[in-house]
Amino acid sequence: RYTDEGEAAPIEPDEQGRLWSEELESWLAADGLFLRLYDRNGAMRLTKGEAEREGRLAERVMRLAEEAEKQMEREGRLAEFQRAERERTEKEAEHQRAERERAEKEAAWAKLRELGIDPEKL
């Protein structure tokens, strides 16, 4: 901050010892040997290295989320296939039971005819 005469004017710290910089639109606060910047709401601004790490981490999280979604889709397709296979197997078993019953009925009727009995009249 500068005076009307162009001289540097002192900036008074707030109750937490921070200085507000109009130029940076940030609070400046001591952090050990370093000076950290905070936005108007008090959220710490990241350094370039921190922002790059955050970006890489966010990309990794997105990749992991995409992989998890694909895995869930594969598992869903597998579950659907297994359900369809169970249904097909159950239908095949029901068909075989019906065929067995039909064959047994035909054999019984043939036996009745051999004995001279008309199964239609029973």
Side-chain angles (χ1 to χ4, degrees):
R1 196 168 71 172
Y2 293 93
T3 64
D4 292 337
E5 292 80 32
E7 294 180 19
I11 301 172
E12 294 297 320
D14 69 357
E15 62 277 355
Q16 297 172 354
R18 304 175 305 175
L19 303 175
W20 177 253
S21 168
E22 291 293 333
E23 300 290 320
L24 300 173
E25 294 184 11
S26 299
W27 289 105
L28 291 81
D31 183 20
L33 298 175
F34 301 99
L35 186 64
R36 292 300 305 230
L37 302 178
Y38 296 85
D39 67 16
R40 288 186 189 278
N41 300 319
M44 185 171 58
R45 297 190 186 272
L46 301 178
T47 64
K48 181 180 178 183
E50 290 168 338
E52 289 171 351
R53 280 191 299 279
E54 289 285 323
R56 287 192 302 271
L57 179 60
E59 288 173 7
R60 184 165 183 237
V61 167
M62 289 298 292
R63 279 194 310 274
L64 289 172
E66 289 170 2
E67 289 173 18
E69 185 175 342
K70 288 176 185 176
Q71 181 64 29
M72 288 172 51
E73 288 173 4
R74 284 191 297 270
E75 290 172 2
R77 287 192 303 270
L78 177 60
E80 179 61 26
F81 172 78
Q82 290 170 335
R83 184 195 60 73
E85 189 61 20
R86 272 193 312 276
E87 286 179 5
R88 188 195 63 75
T89 302
E90 290 168 2
K91 285 179 183 177
E92 180 63 26
E94 180 59 34
H95 176 71
Q96 289 175 356
R97 272 192 301 279
E99 281 296 310
R100 236 183 354 267
E101 289 173 3
R102 187 191 58 74
E104 289 170 358
K105 181 179 176 182
E106 284 182 15
W109 283 32
K111 189 68 164 171
L112 287 171
R113 285 189 193 99
E114 283 178 18
L115 297 171
I117 302 170
D118 185 0
E120 297 289 332
K121 294 184 179 179
L122 292 178

